[in-house]
Amino acid sequence: MDDLLSSLNPAQQEAVQHYEGPALVVAGAGSGKTRTVVHRIAYLLRERRVYPGEVLAVTFTNKAAGEMKERLARMVGGSASDLWVSTFHSAALRILRVYGEYVGLKSGFVVYDDDDQTTLLKEILKELGLEAKPGPFRAMLDRIKNQGRGLSEFLREAPEFIGGVPKELAGEVYRKYQAGMRAQGAVDFNDLLLLSIQLFEEQPGVLAKIRQRARFIHVDEYQDTNPVQYRLTRLLAGLAEGGTGPNLMVVGDPDQSIYGFRNADIHNILDFTKDYPGAKVFRLEENYRSTESILQVANAVIEKNALRLEKTLRSVKAGGEPVRLYRAPNAREEAAFVAREIVKLGQYGQIAVLYRTNAQSRLLEEHLRRGGVPVRLVGAVGFFERREVKDLLAYGRVAVNPLDGINLRRILNTPARGIGASTVGKLVEQAQRTGQSLFEVLRQAEGLLSRPQPVQAFVELLEELLEAAFETGPAEFFERVLDATGFREALKQETDGEERLQNIEELLRAARDWEEEEGGSLSDFLDSVALTAKAEEPQKGEAPPEASVTLMTLHNAKGLEFPTVFLVGLEENLLPHRNSLSRLEDLEEERRLFYVGITRAQEKLYLSYAEERETYGKREYSRPSRFLEEVPPELLKEIGAFGDTAVPVMAYTRPEPKPKPSLGEFRGGERVRHPRFGQGTVVAALGGEVTVMFPGLGLKKLALKFAGLEKID
């Protein structure tokens, strides 16, 4: 017993020695929660003589499950092989492989992955004659299934259009998807949990057998469970013999609940003691990761949240370097500062740069590579390899070289314009048979296709862009593409449309920066991009990850730790994100995200923000994040651009915002003529944009600078 407990602190020892009945372990960041769970399982086996086949431990990733198995194998030897350690989905699949026939599954059923789902959805959309992307419908499937709601309930609250089609038609896509999977003897990952719940509710005898196999249940990261995982856990736990309450131990930290967008419900952990009356609560508050100075900042921030369980992290590392704060004049200078500091620090493999959105990575990548710093981008592709960025660049490449068939095929129906896969196949086949370029074949569409109008309209657009490519700079060219194609509106229909729009705006910003620094034509800019994108690819002999600076979003950083962390972009509308400002629950999740970022740092923490940042093509003054203002000034050391001590925190006068551009005579209601869309009516005017209703075409948002609108008396 002594060797089992000697490496644990008193709070961990209490949790480990808990035997029967429900228990909640509130485990703060870096408090050794995995060690506590592993030792508790070992305690049950060694001291309480619990049979290994009666223990279930559920984690959220296969990697975490594997690590837990390895630790247990070292502690309890061969008996670890009889333990049931898995993810929620793996546990459900194991159950359905044995009892799936009770819920209509045939033996040998297959589990569809993301690609399989997308393929099936494409077939259904084609069958229904819908020119729509599968992405929004996959997101709809996930929302319905992760929330455990029926289709009719979802449709009552859904927006009128999903993926560009009426929600009633989207419901038909859902029904055909479910029928198609059953016809092919398949389920998707979400179905694994839903069918297991159905099995337990309809077959109490089966549930009783599973409960015998899972008498002692452990659930890790309980704050991240969604409604379906919550229901499954409740069914599995049941009541222990003698009515003592279920032998369920959940481990988690509501202060690190940051996956609301995945339907995680923080109330699952907040209400645990209501769901399981008499549950014991253990608090792990000793932090082994971060220094005292870092934890003081973390505690000052998170205590402002209302949705939490009371705890205060205490560091076992007394003192520590002060948390540094840098106030950059603009986003480019912020990235330059980060690169300079990292070069001075060295030991690149011990450093991480964290940010709120993937679009922020471009400037950081650029400045780090200029400084010769190897970079490892986690959880995202290189900036210029992102789908929406490549789509827009493809327009530029075709405008410069219309013989580029690869990029021409990429943009032919992007965004969707009614040119389906069968039409593209006919055009490509004609080009291959005649030896003509695809562009030449497109010009002959009238003689090749029964419905040539969409292709003819696309050719007209291309011919306009061919001229624009040699008349404008890259930034103006891309603006014209966005206006003429409705590219922005199409992205807004996607579930991650906000982030994709930010990447588009970042590309426009990159083009404007390049024009200011280098100058030249669209072709020159595309050459520069090609060289930059090539540098993002792993090179032979490149430094391994352990010698590279890690770049990642705050969401991807959860569960990780680094000796030195740079947390950048701490501004209103970025962190907290603009989409989170209307609901208190969303704002508190953003504060938890900031807290997670702070507690990734072990020894050194740098915080930074920019006084000016481009947002949707406009340079705007930004104010520091409200979360920074919640930190007592004495806990931060403000530094200058080269690491020297700067003025006291927040002790400066903010410059007056620049006036927004005037729209002159457009106020709404004016009749106008567009060179491409014809006559219409202005319905809104804001910033540098007007929204015009064109009969037969609908609403078009146009940049006034490039729209060429003519007012009609």
Side-chain angles (χ1 to χ4, degrees):
M1 186 68 172
D2 289 342
D3 69 307
L4 189 63
L5 301 178
S6 60
S7 63
L8 305 177
N9 63 44
Q12 291 171 330
Q13 290 178 11
E14 274 192 70
V16 164
Q17 294 178 82
H18 174 75
Y19 179 39
E20 291 184 320
L24 167 63
V25 180
V26 183
S31 62
K33 69 178 179 62
T34 304
R35 168 185 288 268
T36 303
V37 173
V38 168
H39 279 68
R40 199 266 176 151
I41 294 174
Y43 166 80
L44 290 176
L45 269 56
R46 288 170 50 178
E47 303 300 326
R48 291 292 186 170
R49 301 293 186 238
V50 171
Y51 177 60
E54 296 178 317
V55 176
L56 168 63
V58 180
T59 69
F60 267 79
T61 67
N62 289 316
K63 180 182 178 183
E67 290 174 351
M68 190 175 289
K69 287 178 185 176
E70 289 177 10
R71 291 198 194 188
L72 285 164
R74 290 195 293 268
M75 293 191 70
V76 299
S79 59
S81 61
D82 294 325
L83 295 166
W84 190 1
V85 182
S86 73
T87 64
F88 273 105
H89 292 92
S90 296
L93 178 58
R94 180 172 173 177
I95 292 166
L96 292 173
R97 285 293 180 205
V98 179
Y99 301 105
E101 62 183 34
Y102 288 107
V103 287
L105 293 178
K106 298 176 182 177
S107 61
F109 67 87
V110 296
V111 181
Y112 272 7
D113 61 16
D114 292 349
D115 288 340
D116 297 326
Q117 284 183 280
T118 299
T119 300
L120 178 56
L121 284 169
K122 284 180 177 177
E123 292 175 359
I124 293 167
L125 293 171
K126 183 178 179 181
E127 178 187 342
L128 294 173
L130 299 174
E131 293 286 351
K133 303 279 188 182
F137 300 97
R138 272 197 56 204
M140 175 186 72
L141 291 167
D142 286 343
R143 280 198 299 274
I144 293 171
K145 296 184 178 186
N146 283 329
Q147 293 172 2
R149 306 162 71 189
L151 175 61
S152 57
E153 182 184 353
F154 169 79
L155 291 178
R156 278 198 301 271
E157 302 174 7
E160 289 304 311
F161 288 86
I162 297 172
V165 306
K167 64 180 181 181
E168 292 77 14
L169 198 50
E172 183 62 19
V173 172
Y174 178 91
R175 284 186 283 267
K176 283 188 172 290
Y177 172 84
Q178 290 296 98
M181 280 204 305
R182 283 304 176 97
Q184 298 175 62
V187 296
D188 60 29
F189 278 95
N190 292 321
D191 285 332
L192 294 175
L193 303 186
L194 290 170
L195 289 171
S196 295
I197 289 172
Q198 180 185 341
L199 172 69
F200 292 158
E201 290 177 341
E202 295 177 357
Q203 301 292 330
V206 172
L207 177 57
K209 289 181 180 179
I210 301 299
R211 283 176 176 168
Q212 289 176 356
R213 179 65 181 83
R215 278 190 58 222
F216 291 86
I217 302 173
H218 306 74
V219 180
D220 195 11
E221 303 289 5
Y222 193 66
Q223 77 280 350
D224 293 333
T225 52
N226 63 32
V228 174
Q229 291 159 340
Y230 168 83
R231 284 173 60 193
L232 186 61
T233 302
R234 289 277 286 176
L235 285 165
L236 278 173
L239 290 175
E241 292 181 12
T244 58
N247 293 322
L248 169 66
M249 175 177 279
V250 302
V251 186
D253 180 8
D255 291 340
Q256 297 184 74
S257 178
I258 59 173
Y259 295 121
F261 65 97
R262 295 180 186 167
N263 299 296
D265 188 349
I266 191 174
H267 293 282
N268 292 350
I269 190 168
L270 294 178
D271 296 340
F272 184 83
T273 54
K274 295 179 185 176
D275 292 335
Y276 301 93
K280 294 286 186 66
V281 179
F282 305 95
R283 287 179 168 82
L284 307 186
E285 298 177 304
E286 287 192 49
N287 177 284
Y288 294 87
R289 177 187 298 155
S290 306
T291 62
E292 183 180 11
S293 58
I294 292 171
L295 286 189
Q296 285 177 332
V297 173
N299 288 330
V301 169
I302 202 62
E303 69 182 11
K304 302 297 189 297
N305 268 8
L307 292 175
R308 64 188 304 256
L309 297 173
E310 194 60 39
K311 75 174 190 314
T312 301
L313 284 182
R314 301 183 300 273
S315 177
V316 299
K317 300 177 180 178
E321 297 184 21
V323 174
R324 297 168 174 85
L325 174 66
Y326 174 59
R327 183 179 75 235
N330 54 58
R332 182 166 286 278
E333 286 302 316
E334 180 186 46
F337 161 77
V338 170
R340 281 194 301 271
E341 284 296 300
I342 287 175
V343 169
K344 283 197 299 185
L345 290 170
Q347 296 182 307
Y348 300 144
Q350 298 185 16
I351 299 172
V353 185
L354 310 181
Y355 37 82
R356 177 62 176 85
T357 68
N358 278 314
Q360 293 171 257
S361 71
R362 183 189 66 85
L363 285 175
L364 294 162
E365 289 177 80
E366 179 184 318
H367 282 272
L368 286 167
R369 293 188 191 283
R370 280 185 188 175
V373 178
V375 170
R376 182 171 69 110
L377 195 64
V378 174
V381 294
F383 178 79
F384 291 110
E385 292 300 309
R386 291 168 188 162
R387 185 244 298 170
E388 61 280 5
V389 173
K390 291 190 74 170
D391 288 343
L392 200 50
L393 290 173
Y395 274 96
R397 292 187 173 113
V398 171
V400 170
N401 174 23
L403 298 180
D404 183 349
I406 297 296
N407 280 293
L408 184 52
R409 286 184 64 177
R410 184 181 187 97
I411 64 175
L412 197 49
N413 198 42
T414 302
R417 52 174 61 89
I419 304 175
S422 60
T423 300
V424 175
K426 288 179 184 177
L427 295 168
V428 171
E429 183 183 348
Q430 175 73 1
Q432 293 172 341
R433 189 172 62 249
T434 62
Q436 295 174 292
S437 71
L438 182 57
F439 186 53
E440 290 175 305
V441 172
L442 292 178
R443 284 174 158 165
Q444 303 162 13
E446 188 172 6
L448 295 172
L449 304 173
S450 58
R451 184 172 165 269
Q453 292 84 356
V455 174
Q456 289 173 326
F458 176 69
V459 170
E460 290 177 18
L461 169 64
L462 277 189
E463 288 174 341
E464 291 177 17
L465 295 178
L466 288 176
E467 294 180 14
F470 297 96
E471 296 173 353
T472 67
E476 183 177 341
F477 174 85
F478 291 131
E479 283 283 9
R480 288 196 184 186
V481 172
L482 292 168
D483 288 341
T485 62
F487 202 94
R488 286 189 177 98
E489 288 71 22
L491 288 179
K492 287 176 184 176
Q493 297 294 324
E494 302 191 20
T495 50
D496 54 354
E498 178 74 22
E499 184 163 326
R500 294 191 184 280
L501 283 169
Q502 289 173 355
N503 289 335
I504 289 299
E505 298 304 328
E506 187 64 29
L507 176 60
L508 294 174
R509 193 153 44 244
R512 285 190 289 270
D513 289 347
W514 183 85
E515 287 176 9
E516 291 177 9
E517 295 177 9
E518 305 289 338
S521 66
L522 172 64
S523 178
D524 295 330
F525 175 72
L526 293 172
D527 287 344
S528 171
V529 167
L531 293 173
T532 303
K534 184 68 176 175
E536 291 177 346
E537 297 176 7
Q539 301 295 318
K540 189 174 181 181
E542 184 178 333
E546 58 268 21
S548 305
V549 171
T550 299
L551 269 63
M552 68 173 74
T553 64
L554 286 161
H555 284 100
N556 283 323
K558 186 168 179 291
L560 303 178
E561 57 186 39
F562 302 88
T564 301
V565 168
F566 288 78
L567 217 170
V568 303
L570 300 178
E571 299 138 36
E572 285 293 292
N573 296 321
L574 198 50
L575 187 69
H577 196 275
R578 62 172 55 84
N579 291 346
S580 69
L581 301 180
S582 60
R583 293 177 68 243
L584 177 62
E585 293 88 344
D586 295 338
L587 183 62
E588 291 206 346
E589 180 160 321
E590 292 288 299
R591 187 180 282 110
R592 293 194 291 269
L593 197 55
F594 182 36
Y595 173 81
V596 165
I598 293 170
T599 54
R600 298 312 94 194
Q602 296 171 299
E603 306 292 340
K604 293 185 175 72
L605 175 63
Y606 291 79
L607 309 177
S608 68
Y609 65 94
E611 293 181 306
E612 183 183 273
R613 189 178 296 270
E614 280 199 27
T615 306
Y616 297 111
K618 294 176 287 189
R619 293 185 184 275
E620 294 183 348
Y621 284 99
S622 52
R623 63 178 285 241
S625 168
R626 69 189 69 192
F627 303 149
L628 276 179
E629 296 172 354
E630 293 168 354
V631 179
E634 63 270 15
L635 298 183
L636 301 174
K637 176 184 179 183
E638 187 160 5
I639 59 176
F642 295 90
D644 51 319
T645 301
V647 297
V649 176
M650 309 302 177
Y652 64 94
T653 303
R654 184 170 305 286
E656 289 297 319
K658 295 178 181 177
K660 293 184 177 180
S662 170
L663 288 176
E665 73 248 47
F666 295 110
R667 295 290 182 270
E670 296 84 6
R671 294 281 296 159
V672 295
R673 181 182 291 108
H674 185 272
R676 180 172 179 77
F677 303 132
Q679 294 186 13
T681 304
V682 176
V683 296
L686 181 66
E689 295 180 331
V690 290
T691 302
V692 183
M693 169 62 79
F694 293 99
L697 297 175
L699 293 173
K700 299 283 185 182
K701 186 175 285 188
L702 307 170
L704 189 61
K705 182 178 177 182
F706 307 111
L709 291 178
E710 175 189 351
K711 189 175 180 182
I712 302 173
D713 293 331

